Amino acid sequence: MSEHVYKQIKLTGSSKSGVEDAVQNAIAKASETVKNMRWFQIIDTRGHIDNGRIAHWQVTIEVGFTLEE
């Protein structure tokens, strides 16, 4: 097994559908420019309320990716 060096970034995704979709949205958008993503960890979950109902979810994640050699 080779040794890896990781860099971490924080992202916040949002979705009207739920937490999992918010995470998927953040990772999908980041994958357009960030390569070699390997893992994520949910840091914070919150939502926006409109007229007494959940309008959308916001999820902050930390993403680790390997640095290219």
Side-chain angles (χ1 to χ4, degrees):
M1 179 178 174
S2 62
E3 297 178 0
H4 297 285
V5 174
Y6 295 90
K7 182 169 179 69
Q8 299 172 342
I9 57 173
K10 283 188 181 178
L11 305 169
T12 301
S14 63
S15 171
K16 293 180 180 182
S17 303
V19 172
E20 187 173 342
D21 281 345
V23 172
Q24 291 283 6
N25 290 340
I27 290 173
K29 185 63 176 176
S31 72
E32 294 175 9
T33 56
V34 178
K35 304 302 176 206
N36 304 317
M37 290 189 290
R38 300 290 184 234
W39 56 266
F40 74 92
Q41 178 179 355
I42 294 176
I43 303 298
D44 189 28
T45 305
R46 61 189 171 277
H48 176 249
I49 300 169
D50 189 19
N51 292 323
R53 300 187 61 101
I54 297 172
H56 66 271
W57 294 89
Q58 295 176 327
V59 180
T60 300
I61 60 175
E62 192 169 72
V63 176
F65 58 96
T66 54
L67 298 176
E68 293 183 353
E69 296 185 30

